[in-house]
Amino acid sequence: MKKRALISVSDKNGVSEFAKELINLGFEIVSTGGTKKMLQEQGLPVLSVTDVTGFPEILEGRVKTLNPFIHGGLLAKHGEADHQKQLEEHGIDPIQVVCVNLYPFQQTIEKPDVTVEDAIENIDIGGPAMLRASAKNHQFVTVVVDPVDYETVLAELKADGETTLETRRKLAAKVFRHTAAYDALIAEYMTNLAQEENPEKLTVTYELKQSLRYGENPHQKASFYKKPLGSKFSIAYADQLHGKELSYNNINDADAALQIVKEFTEPAAVAVKHMNPCGVGTGKTVFEAFEKAFAADPVSIFGGIIALNQEVDAETARKLHEIFLEIIIAPSFSKEAIEVLTSKKNLRLLTIPFEQGQKVERKMTTIEGGLLVQDQDRYSLEDANITIPTKRQPTDAEWEALKLGWKVVKHVKSNAIVVSDKDMTLGIGAGQMNRVGSAEIALKQAGAKAEGAALASDAFFPMDDTVEAAAKAGITAIIQPGGSIRDADSIKKADEYGIAMVFTGVRHFKH
């Protein structure tokens, strides 16, 4: 049987060497367009698809490989008499090796000035058809979509004259993952173009960023995937400058810290443990901000994750160096800061391009047997319909404290309470089964600092007990969504103690 390989790639890394080795092994090469031209320029003998099909490329190259002389050669079962007879009758030669990858659709739509016409023209049709045909017929056809697999294929062909079924099956599986991911990006682009909010089928794709040592616990296997066109302002696209490999829990905590520090434009520092903030501070400098975040909870910060929204300088680095931390996230680190912090070999240093800004993405949460999808909670006080139902209005200083508490409380696990002043958190109560329980934790942590401070709640007060507890601790201003059927009780209690209370009209549940 004549040995024939079809090669047509957009990623041309290593393809010339691959084709040359195939020729040395007795393969005839069939190719198209730019790949054919490049191989011929390398002095390699190449047949064009037109030579094989006897039919010219038409419609600006949209139709060239969709032809029985190609697909018959890809889909024929070798050794089956009826298939062989039909191939002979129609003069079709089998194709044993296929090396194809696809038009660069992702790279095209990533361009800021891409037009719809450009995007559509970069939707490959013939490539996926050849890949799927070859992968379906992997019992007989070796199909390669990734240059990393060239070496394996050549090694087996040189050793045995053919690849193993195990290898062909693995390569076929990779092909179907590749074409599925390709189609998922196209489906997402077209769905957005058509402004469909809730399509009847949701197709998503992610790329492996790294395998993890384990998940939340050592007995759980885990991996970290990133979205191909995902937000660059994210942990998935962070650069790790130093330290040991990130763990599953590290990644979750780092994401939580980053989402909180994104809330601030002034210098800010956020400390996170187990996906909840334990201290948040702002200041005129990043050093001042971190000092306040540390002072907010100097116990819980031990072994925590720190996110800062300004470059880490030498002074701040020396302060950070004093504490055992898992991760420090920042837009950048000064040369001196890196020298200080890299003396701790396990401390992870991550940089993230804060200048990229926010990108709207939908949040996906898996449940057993399903997936929940929702918009990210980007709601801010600027979006809120503010009302003040109490007799007393907040002072300017109280407003600043309320704003900080409201920015933080939406990132705390519900039920959530945050006690704060104008530039730092003083106490945080998270994840309790009742709201007054969270309030008691936050107020106890704040201690004497609660006197004259503000309290933020992620959801309304079902009873006036939280206001009572806040008042007894010295809280003078409260911000909460409102909307309880017993709001009047809370308003009355606030007025009784002279507390200014703000209703935002929106809750910030976080489960």
Short mmCIF file of all heavy atoms in Angstrom, two decimals, residues 430-489:
data_model
loop_
_atom_site.label_atom_id
_atom_site.label_comp_id
_atom_site.label_asym_id
_atom_site.label_seq_id
_atom_site.Cartn_x
_atom_site.Cartn_y
_atom_site.Cartn_z
N ALA A 430 -18.02 35.90 59.72
CA ALA A 430 -18.31 35.25 58.44
C ALA A 430 -18.98 33.89 58.61
O ALA A 430 -18.65 33.14 59.53
CB ALA A 430 -17.01 35.06 57.66
N GLY A 431 -19.91 33.61 57.71
CA GLY A 431 -20.41 32.26 57.52
C GLY A 431 -21.20 31.66 58.67
O GLY A 431 -21.30 30.43 58.76
N GLN A 432 -21.78 32.49 59.51
CA GLN A 432 -22.56 31.95 60.61
C GLN A 432 -24.00 31.67 60.17
O GLN A 432 -24.50 32.22 59.20
CB GLN A 432 -22.56 32.94 61.79
CG GLN A 432 -21.17 33.20 62.34
CD GLN A 432 -20.47 31.91 62.75
OE1 GLN A 432 -20.95 31.20 63.63
NE2 GLN A 432 -19.35 31.62 62.12
N MET A 433 -24.64 30.80 60.93
CA MET A 433 -25.99 30.38 60.55
C MET A 433 -27.04 31.41 60.90
O MET A 433 -28.15 31.35 60.40
CB MET A 433 -26.33 29.03 61.20
CG MET A 433 -25.64 27.85 60.52
SD MET A 433 -23.83 27.91 60.59
CE MET A 433 -23.57 27.53 62.34
N ASN A 434 -26.70 32.37 61.75
CA ASN A 434 -27.61 33.49 62.00
C ASN A 434 -26.82 34.78 62.04
O ASN A 434 -25.62 34.79 62.35
CB ASN A 434 -28.42 33.29 63.29
CG ASN A 434 -27.52 33.26 64.53
OD1 ASN A 434 -27.07 34.30 65.00
ND2 ASN A 434 -27.26 32.06 65.04
N ARG A 435 -27.48 35.87 61.71
CA ARG A 435 -26.79 37.14 61.52
C ARG A 435 -26.23 37.71 62.81
O ARG A 435 -25.13 38.28 62.84
CB ARG A 435 -27.76 38.14 60.86
CG ARG A 435 -27.06 39.40 60.34
CD ARG A 435 -27.85 39.99 59.21
NE ARG A 435 -27.98 39.05 58.12
CZ ARG A 435 -27.03 38.78 57.22
NH1 ARG A 435 -25.87 39.40 57.28
NH2 ARG A 435 -27.24 37.90 56.28
N VAL A 436 -26.97 37.57 63.87
CA VAL A 436 -26.46 38.13 65.13
C VAL A 436 -25.22 37.38 65.59
O VAL A 436 -24.33 37.95 66.23
CB VAL A 436 -27.57 38.13 66.22
CG1 VAL A 436 -27.85 36.72 66.74
CG2 VAL A 436 -27.19 39.04 67.38
N GLY A 437 -25.10 36.10 65.21
CA GLY A 437 -23.88 35.34 65.52
C GLY A 437 -22.67 35.93 64.82
O GLY A 437 -21.59 36.08 65.41
N SER A 438 -22.83 36.29 63.55
CA SER A 438 -21.74 36.94 62.81
C SER A 438 -21.41 38.30 63.42
O SER A 438 -20.24 38.69 63.53
CB SER A 438 -22.12 37.12 61.34
OG SER A 438 -22.15 35.88 60.67
N ALA A 439 -22.44 39.03 63.81
CA ALA A 439 -22.23 40.34 64.43
C ALA A 439 -21.45 40.23 65.72
O ALA A 439 -20.53 41.02 65.99
CB ALA A 439 -23.57 41.03 64.67
N GLU A 440 -21.80 39.24 66.52
CA GLU A 440 -21.10 39.06 67.80
C GLU A 440 -19.61 38.75 67.59
O GLU A 440 -18.76 39.23 68.32
CB GLU A 440 -21.78 37.95 68.61
CG GLU A 440 -23.14 38.39 69.17
CD GLU A 440 -23.93 37.24 69.77
OE1 GLU A 440 -23.50 36.06 69.60
OE2 GLU A 440 -24.98 37.49 70.40
N ILE A 441 -19.32 37.93 66.57
CA ILE A 441 -17.91 37.62 66.26
C ILE A 441 -17.16 38.88 65.83
O ILE A 441 -16.06 39.17 66.30
CB ILE A 441 -17.83 36.54 65.16
CG1 ILE A 441 -18.33 35.20 65.69
CG2 ILE A 441 -16.40 36.40 64.65
CD1 ILE A 441 -18.51 34.14 64.63
N ALA A 442 -17.78 39.65 64.92
CA ALA A 442 -17.13 40.86 64.40
C ALA A 442 -16.93 41.89 65.52
O ALA A 442 -15.88 42.53 65.62
CB ALA A 442 -17.95 41.45 63.27
N LEU A 443 -17.95 42.07 66.35
CA LEU A 443 -17.87 43.06 67.42
C LEU A 443 -16.88 42.65 68.50
O LEU A 443 -16.15 43.49 69.04
CB LEU A 443 -19.27 43.28 68.03
CG LEU A 443 -20.28 43.94 67.08
CD1 LEU A 443 -21.69 43.79 67.62
CD2 LEU A 443 -19.92 45.42 66.87
N LYS A 444 -16.82 41.36 68.80
CA LYS A 444 -15.85 40.88 69.78
C LYS A 444 -14.43 41.11 69.27
O LYS A 444 -13.55 41.53 70.04
CB LYS A 444 -16.08 39.40 70.06
CG LYS A 444 -15.12 38.82 71.09
CD LYS A 444 -15.39 37.35 71.33
CE LYS A 444 -14.39 36.78 72.35
NZ LYS A 444 -14.62 35.34 72.59
N GLN A 445 -14.21 40.86 67.98
CA GLN A 445 -12.89 41.07 67.41
C GLN A 445 -12.53 42.56 67.43
O GLN A 445 -11.38 42.93 67.71
CB GLN A 445 -12.84 40.55 65.98
CG GLN A 445 -11.44 40.60 65.36
CD GLN A 445 -11.43 40.15 63.91
OE1 GLN A 445 -12.47 40.09 63.26
NE2 GLN A 445 -10.27 39.83 63.40
N ALA A 446 -13.49 43.41 67.14
CA ALA A 446 -13.23 44.86 67.14
C ALA A 446 -12.95 45.37 68.54
O ALA A 446 -12.15 46.28 68.73
CB ALA A 446 -14.41 45.59 66.52
N GLY A 447 -13.63 44.79 69.55
CA GLY A 447 -13.42 45.19 70.94
C GLY A 447 -13.70 46.67 71.15
O GLY A 447 -14.70 47.22 70.63
N ALA A 448 -12.81 47.35 71.83
CA ALA A 448 -13.00 48.76 72.15
C ALA A 448 -13.00 49.64 70.90
O ALA A 448 -13.56 50.75 70.90
CB ALA A 448 -11.91 49.22 73.12
N LYS A 449 -12.38 49.14 69.80
CA LYS A 449 -12.32 49.92 68.56
C LYS A 449 -13.70 50.07 67.91
O LYS A 449 -13.87 50.88 67.00
CB LYS A 449 -11.35 49.27 67.58
CG LYS A 449 -9.89 49.31 68.03
CD LYS A 449 -9.01 48.61 67.01
CE LYS A 449 -7.56 48.58 67.45
NZ LYS A 449 -6.70 47.85 66.49
N ALA A 450 -14.67 49.27 68.37
CA ALA A 450 -16.02 49.39 67.81
C ALA A 450 -16.68 50.70 68.20
O ALA A 450 -17.63 51.14 67.54
CB ALA A 450 -16.88 48.21 68.27
N GLU A 451 -16.18 51.33 69.24
CA GLU A 451 -16.75 52.61 69.69
C GLU A 451 -16.59 53.65 68.58
O GLU A 451 -15.48 53.99 68.17
CB GLU A 451 -16.03 53.08 70.96
CG GLU A 451 -16.66 54.29 71.62
CD GLU A 451 -17.99 54.00 72.29
OE1 GLU A 451 -18.12 52.91 72.90
OE2 GLU A 451 -18.90 54.84 72.20
N GLY A 452 -17.73 54.13 68.06
CA GLY A 452 -17.71 55.14 67.00
C GLY A 452 -17.48 54.58 65.61
O GLY A 452 -17.32 55.36 64.65
N ALA A 453 -17.43 53.25 65.46
CA ALA A 453 -17.17 52.63 64.16
C ALA A 453 -18.47 52.35 63.41
O ALA A 453 -19.57 52.58 63.93
CB ALA A 453 -16.38 51.33 64.35
N ALA A 454 -18.32 51.84 62.18
CA ALA A 454 -19.47 51.50 61.34
C ALA A 454 -19.61 49.99 61.22
O ALA A 454 -18.63 49.25 61.38
CB ALA A 454 -19.30 52.11 59.96
N LEU A 455 -20.81 49.53 60.95
CA LEU A 455 -21.07 48.10 60.76
C LEU A 455 -21.78 47.90 59.43
O LEU A 455 -22.74 48.62 59.11
CB LEU A 455 -21.93 47.57 61.91
CG LEU A 455 -22.29 46.08 61.89
CD1 LEU A 455 -22.34 45.52 63.32
CD2 LEU A 455 -23.64 45.83 61.20
N ALA A 456 -21.31 46.95 58.64
CA ALA A 456 -21.92 46.61 57.35
C ALA A 456 -22.44 45.19 57.40
O ALA A 456 -21.78 44.29 57.93
CB ALA A 456 -20.90 46.75 56.23
N SER A 457 -23.61 44.98 56.83
CA SER A 457 -24.23 43.65 56.76
C SER A 457 -24.53 43.32 55.31
O SER A 457 -25.01 44.18 54.56
CB SER A 457 -25.52 43.63 57.57
OG SER A 457 -26.20 42.40 57.39
N ASP A 458 -24.26 42.07 54.91
CA ASP A 458 -24.48 41.69 53.51
C ASP A 458 -25.95 41.54 53.17
O ASP A 458 -26.32 41.57 52.00
CB ASP A 458 -23.71 40.41 53.17
CG ASP A 458 -24.22 39.19 53.91
OD1 ASP A 458 -24.77 39.36 55.02
OD2 ASP A 458 -24.05 38.06 53.41
N ALA A 459 -26.81 41.34 54.18
CA ALA A 459 -28.24 41.17 53.94
C ALA A 459 -29.02 41.87 55.05
O ALA A 459 -28.44 42.36 56.03
CB ALA A 459 -28.60 39.69 53.86
N PHE A 460 -30.33 41.94 54.87
CA PHE A 460 -31.14 42.69 55.84
C PHE A 460 -31.18 42.03 57.21
O PHE A 460 -30.81 40.86 57.37
CB PHE A 460 -32.55 42.92 55.31
CG PHE A 460 -33.37 41.67 55.05
CD1 PHE A 460 -33.71 40.79 56.07
CD2 PHE A 460 -33.84 41.38 53.77
CE1 PHE A 460 -34.49 39.66 55.85
CE2 PHE A 460 -34.62 40.26 53.53
CZ PHE A 460 -34.93 39.39 54.57
N PHE A 461 -31.64 42.78 58.19
CA PHE A 461 -31.79 42.27 59.56
C PHE A 461 -33.21 41.73 59.73
O PHE A 461 -34.17 42.49 59.65
CB PHE A 461 -31.57 43.38 60.59
CG PHE A 461 -30.19 44.00 60.55
CD1 PHE A 461 -30.00 45.32 60.89
CD2 PHE A 461 -29.08 43.25 60.20
CE1 PHE A 461 -28.74 45.90 60.87
CE2 PHE A 461 -27.81 43.81 60.17
CZ PHE A 461 -27.65 45.14 60.50
N PRO A 462 -33.34 40.43 59.98
CA PRO A 462 -34.69 39.89 60.18
C PRO A 462 -35.29 40.30 61.52
O PRO A 462 -36.51 40.25 61.71
CB PRO A 462 -34.45 38.38 60.12
CG PRO A 462 -33.02 38.20 60.50
CD PRO A 462 -32.31 39.41 60.02
N MET A 463 -34.43 40.71 62.45
CA MET A 463 -34.87 41.19 63.76
C MET A 463 -33.99 42.37 64.16
O MET A 463 -32.98 42.66 63.51
CB MET A 463 -34.77 40.08 64.81
CG MET A 463 -35.56 38.84 64.50
SD MET A 463 -35.38 37.59 65.78
CE MET A 463 -36.03 36.16 64.92
N ASP A 464 -34.33 43.01 65.26
CA ASP A 464 -33.54 44.16 65.71
C ASP A 464 -32.38 43.77 66.61
O ASP A 464 -31.68 44.62 67.15
CB ASP A 464 -34.43 45.18 66.41
CG ASP A 464 -35.08 44.66 67.70
OD1 ASP A 464 -34.74 43.53 68.14
OD2 ASP A 464 -35.92 45.37 68.28
N ASP A 465 -32.13 42.44 66.77
CA ASP A 465 -31.09 42.01 67.71
C ASP A 465 -29.68 42.41 67.26
O ASP A 465 -28.81 42.69 68.09
CB ASP A 465 -31.16 40.50 67.96
CG ASP A 465 -31.24 39.66 66.68
OD1 ASP A 465 -31.14 40.23 65.59
OD2 ASP A 465 -31.41 38.42 66.80
N THR A 466 -29.43 42.47 65.95
CA THR A 466 -28.11 42.88 65.47
C THR A 466 -27.87 44.36 65.77
O THR A 466 -26.76 44.75 66.17
CB THR A 466 -27.97 42.62 63.96
OG1 THR A 466 -28.20 41.23 63.70
CG2 THR A 466 -26.58 42.99 63.46
N VAL A 467 -28.90 45.17 65.60
CA VAL A 467 -28.77 46.60 65.92
C VAL A 467 -28.52 46.77 67.42
O VAL A 467 -27.68 47.58 67.82
CB VAL A 467 -30.03 47.37 65.50
CG1 VAL A 467 -29.90 48.85 65.84
CG2 VAL A 467 -30.29 47.20 64.00
N GLU A 468 -29.21 46.00 68.22
CA GLU A 468 -29.02 46.06 69.68
C GLU A 468 -27.58 45.71 70.05
O GLU A 468 -26.92 46.42 70.83
CB GLU A 468 -29.97 45.07 70.35
CG GLU A 468 -29.86 44.99 71.86
CD GLU A 468 -30.69 46.04 72.58
OE1 GLU A 468 -31.76 46.41 72.08
OE2 GLU A 468 -30.23 46.52 73.63
N ALA A 469 -27.06 44.63 69.47
CA ALA A 469 -25.68 44.22 69.77
C ALA A 469 -24.70 45.29 69.31
O ALA A 469 -23.71 45.59 69.99
CB ALA A 469 -25.38 42.89 69.09
N ALA A 470 -24.94 45.85 68.12
CA ALA A 470 -24.06 46.89 67.58
C ALA A 470 -24.05 48.12 68.48
O ALA A 470 -22.99 48.69 68.78
CB ALA A 470 -24.49 47.26 66.17
N ALA A 471 -25.23 48.54 68.91
CA ALA A 471 -25.34 49.73 69.74
C ALA A 471 -24.60 49.55 71.06
O ALA A 471 -23.89 50.45 71.52
CB ALA A 471 -26.81 50.03 69.99
N LYS A 472 -24.75 48.40 71.67
CA LYS A 472 -24.09 48.14 72.96
C LYS A 472 -22.57 48.12 72.82
O LYS A 472 -21.84 48.38 73.78
CB LYS A 472 -24.60 46.83 73.55
CG LYS A 472 -26.04 46.93 74.05
CD LYS A 472 -26.53 45.62 74.64
CE LYS A 472 -27.94 45.77 75.19
NZ LYS A 472 -28.47 44.49 75.74
N ALA A 473 -22.07 47.79 71.61
CA ALA A 473 -20.63 47.78 71.37
C ALA A 473 -20.08 49.15 71.01
O ALA A 473 -18.87 49.33 70.93
CB ALA A 473 -20.30 46.79 70.26
N GLY A 474 -20.99 50.12 70.77
CA GLY A 474 -20.54 51.48 70.47
C GLY A 474 -20.62 51.87 69.01
O GLY A 474 -20.16 52.94 68.62
N ILE A 475 -21.20 51.01 68.15
CA ILE A 475 -21.36 51.33 66.73
C ILE A 475 -22.28 52.55 66.57
O ILE A 475 -23.32 52.63 67.22
CB ILE A 475 -21.94 50.12 65.97
CG1 ILE A 475 -20.98 48.94 65.99
CG2 ILE A 475 -22.32 50.50 64.54
CD1 ILE A 475 -19.70 49.13 65.24
N THR A 476 -21.88 53.46 65.67
CA THR A 476 -22.70 54.67 65.47
C THR A 476 -23.34 54.75 64.08
O THR A 476 -24.18 55.62 63.85
CB THR A 476 -21.85 55.94 65.70
OG1 THR A 476 -20.75 55.92 64.77
CG2 THR A 476 -21.32 55.98 67.13
N ALA A 477 -22.95 53.87 63.17
CA ALA A 477 -23.53 53.89 61.83
C ALA A 477 -23.59 52.47 61.28
O ALA A 477 -22.69 51.66 61.51
CB ALA A 477 -22.72 54.77 60.90
N ILE A 478 -24.66 52.18 60.56
CA ILE A 478 -24.89 50.83 60.00
C ILE A 478 -25.29 50.97 58.54
O ILE A 478 -26.05 51.88 58.18
CB ILE A 478 -26.00 50.09 60.78
CG1 ILE A 478 -25.54 49.75 62.20
CG2 ILE A 478 -26.43 48.82 60.05
CD1 ILE A 478 -26.62 49.17 63.09
N ILE A 479 -24.79 50.07 57.71
CA ILE A 479 -25.23 49.98 56.32
C ILE A 479 -25.71 48.57 56.04
O ILE A 479 -25.04 47.60 56.41
CB ILE A 479 -24.10 50.40 55.34
CG1 ILE A 479 -24.63 50.49 53.91
CG2 ILE A 479 -22.89 49.48 55.43
CD1 ILE A 479 -23.66 51.19 52.95
N GLN A 480 -26.88 48.45 55.46
CA GLN A 480 -27.49 47.15 55.17
C GLN A 480 -28.48 47.32 54.03
O GLN A 480 -28.87 48.44 53.71
CB GLN A 480 -28.16 46.59 56.44
CG GLN A 480 -29.23 47.50 57.02
CD GLN A 480 -30.55 46.78 57.27
OE1 GLN A 480 -30.95 45.92 56.49
NE2 GLN A 480 -31.23 47.14 58.36
N PRO A 481 -28.90 46.21 53.41
CA PRO A 481 -29.80 46.34 52.26
C PRO A 481 -31.19 46.87 52.59
O PRO A 481 -31.81 47.55 51.77
CB PRO A 481 -29.88 44.91 51.71
CG PRO A 481 -28.68 44.22 52.25
CD PRO A 481 -28.42 44.83 53.58
N GLY A 482 -31.71 46.53 53.80
CA GLY A 482 -33.11 46.79 54.06
C GLY A 482 -33.97 45.79 53.31
O GLY A 482 -33.48 44.98 52.51
N GLY A 483 -35.26 45.84 53.55
CA GLY A 483 -36.17 44.96 52.83
C GLY A 483 -36.81 43.88 53.68
O GLY A 483 -37.61 43.10 53.18
N SER A 484 -36.50 43.84 54.96
CA SER A 484 -37.14 42.88 55.86
C SER A 484 -38.56 43.36 56.20
O SER A 484 -38.83 44.57 56.24
CB SER A 484 -36.31 42.76 57.15
OG SER A 484 -37.04 42.06 58.14
N ILE A 485 -39.43 42.41 56.46
CA ILE A 485 -40.79 42.79 56.88
C ILE A 485 -40.76 43.43 58.27
O ILE A 485 -41.74 44.04 58.70
CB ILE A 485 -41.75 41.58 56.87
CG1 ILE A 485 -41.25 40.48 57.82
CG2 ILE A 485 -41.93 41.05 55.45
CD1 ILE A 485 -42.24 39.33 57.99
N ARG A 486 -39.60 43.31 58.95
CA ARG A 486 -39.47 43.91 60.28
C ARG A 486 -38.42 45.03 60.28
O ARG A 486 -37.79 45.30 61.29
CB ARG A 486 -39.10 42.83 61.30
CG ARG A 486 -40.17 41.73 61.39
CD ARG A 486 -39.87 40.70 62.45
NE ARG A 486 -39.91 41.27 63.78
CZ ARG A 486 -39.75 40.56 64.91
NH1 ARG A 486 -39.56 39.25 64.83
NH2 ARG A 486 -39.80 41.14 66.09
N ASP A 487 -38.26 45.68 59.12
CA ASP A 487 -37.35 46.82 59.05
C ASP A 487 -37.69 47.88 60.10
O ASP A 487 -36.80 48.51 60.68
CB ASP A 487 -37.39 47.47 57.67
CG ASP A 487 -36.44 46.82 56.67
OD1 ASP A 487 -35.58 46.02 57.10
OD2 ASP A 487 -36.57 47.10 55.47
N ALA A 488 -38.97 48.07 60.32
CA ALA A 488 -39.39 49.12 61.26
C ALA A 488 -38.80 48.89 62.65
O ALA A 488 -38.44 49.85 63.35
CB ALA A 488 -40.92 49.17 61.34
N ASP A 489 -38.66 47.62 63.05
CA ASP A 489 -38.09 47.31 64.37
C ASP A 489 -36.63 47.73 64.43
O ASP A 489 -36.17 48.31 65.43
CB ASP A 489 -38.19 45.81 64.66
CG ASP A 489 -39.62 45.33 64.82
OD1 ASP A 489 -40.52 46.19 64.93
OD2 ASP A 489 -39.84 44.11 64.82
#
